[in-house]
Amino acid sequence: DTGVSQDPRHKITKRGQNVTFRCDPISEHNRLYWYRQTLGQGPEFLTYFQNEAQLEKSRLLSDRFSAERPKGSFSTLEIQRTEQGDSAMYLCASSRRLGTSGRGTDTQYFGPGTRLTVL
Amino acid sequence: AQSVSQHNHHVILSEAASLELGCNYSYGGTVNLFWYVQYPGQHLQLLLKYFSGDPLVKGIKGFEAEFIKSKFSFNLRKPSVQWSDTAEYFCAVNPDSWGKLQFGAGTQVVVTP
């Protein structure tokens, strides 16, 4: 399977605990995105990387959230001191983009998501 | 605020009926436009996309969408739906040179036999 993969698929945790999710993009894709989706809403952008550089973070992303992509391949998203409001589906997407400026015509492909439930 | 609006949250229709889902966005300038679909229990999949050129784009499974720049719209259509088209449909916009996608809230489509 050459699609985007995410691990774990489900995570149940208690309020206050830290959690970490992993995303493996499609192998030739240099861009990797994280989104969050809650029930009845479309995905909301959190952050994205081009190679190992984090190019943008949403203002929605509190300082409890951190994402890394150390070698420009897989990425991790960590949530510290989880709150019940963090319960959501966390989606990862990847794309192949040439350059960092100008009009892009890349297409994002999504993984299956990690469903987080904070008790 | 810049936004993406999908007009209907829920649509119920019978097999063989025609489907049209509305999508409007509020960005000026050049945009890339997408429709994604999420079938029950599956992840988001790309239905079709528009970058430039012919404003009528065809996607998978008989879907098409028309970009009308003057109306800031990108409506999705299918002439005759099947039960297997039951899914949630998301419109997404990628404004010029941005990396991120901005999604609408989605439309849940239920096709009855």
Side-chain angles (χ1 to χ4, degrees):
Chain A
D1 186 8
T2 57
V4 178
S5 62
Q6 293 186 245
D7 184 70
R9 296 289 302 276
H10 303 273
K11 179 70 176 178
I12 300 174
T13 191
K14 292 183 180 178
R15 189 163 49 105
Q17 297 296 304
N18 299 343
V19 294
T20 300
F21 309 140
R22 175 177 171 131
C23 171
D24 287 87
I26 294 170
S27 60
E28 67 269 24
H29 285 184
N30 58 349
R31 282 201 169 181
L32 187 149
Y33 304 80
W34 287 99
Y35 293 84
R36 179 171 62 191
Q37 186 177 19
T38 53
L39 199 62
Q41 299 297 320
E44 289 181 300
F45 169 77
L46 293 179
T47 188
Y48 82 97
F49 296 83
Q50 179 153 325
N51 300 313
E52 64 276 6
Q54 190 171 18
L55 295 187
E56 187 176 354
K57 290 172 60 173
S58 167
R59 283 169 287 183
L60 298 173
L61 211 62
S62 80
D63 57 6
R64 296 184 298 104
F65 288 69
S66 62
E68 294 183 340
R69 194 182 184 201
K71 297 182 180 179
S73 56
F74 72 91
S75 174
T76 57
L77 178 68
E78 181 183 17
I79 309 174
Q80 296 182 327
R81 305 181 303 280
T82 53
E83 302 173 355
Q84 287 183 326
D86 297 331
S87 295
M89 177 74 86
Y90 289 84
L91 299 172
C92 176
S94 71
S95 72
R96 185 167 181 265
R97 174 75 179 260
L98 302 176
T100 57
S101 60
R103 177 109 187 267
T105 55
D106 51 316
T107 300
Q108 295 180 31
Y109 296 91
F110 284 80
T114 294
R115 182 169 295 284
L116 173 66
T117 302
V118 181
L119 302 176
Chain B
Q2 296 167 325
S3 66
V4 179
S5 299
Q6 292 185 237
H7 309 302
N8 307 96
H9 293 293
H10 293 93
V11 172
I12 302 174
L13 61 168
S14 302
E15 278 191 311
S18 64
L19 173 69
E20 181 160 359
L21 302 181
C23 174
N24 285 89
Y25 60 93
S26 62
Y27 303 98
T30 307
V31 292
N32 298 332
L33 298 157
F34 305 82
W35 277 96
Y36 285 86
V37 61
Q38 190 165 26
Y39 298 103
Q42 296 187 27
H43 61 279
L44 276 168
Q45 300 173 34
L46 181 70
L47 259 186
L48 48 79
K49 59 189 177 184
Y50 173 79
F51 293 144
S52 63
D54 188 343
L56 185 62
V57 293
K58 295 191 184 299
I60 61 171
K61 305 188 180 187
F63 284 90
E64 64 179 30
E66 185 176 12
F67 169 52
I68 303 179
K69 188 175 181 179
S70 61
K71 295 185 177 180
F72 298 90
S73 70
F74 190 55
N75 293 352
L76 181 70
R77 297 194 291 254
K78 185 170 184 178
S80 176
V81 295
Q82 301 173 315
W83 177 79
S84 58
D85 293 321
T86 293
E88 190 156 20
Y89 294 79
F90 294 94
C91 179
V93 176
N94 175 220
D96 191 14
S97 82
W98 287 20
K100 62 191 176 190
L101 291 173
Q102 178 109 22
F103 282 85
T107 299
Q108 182 67 51
V109 173
V110 175
V111 180
T112 59

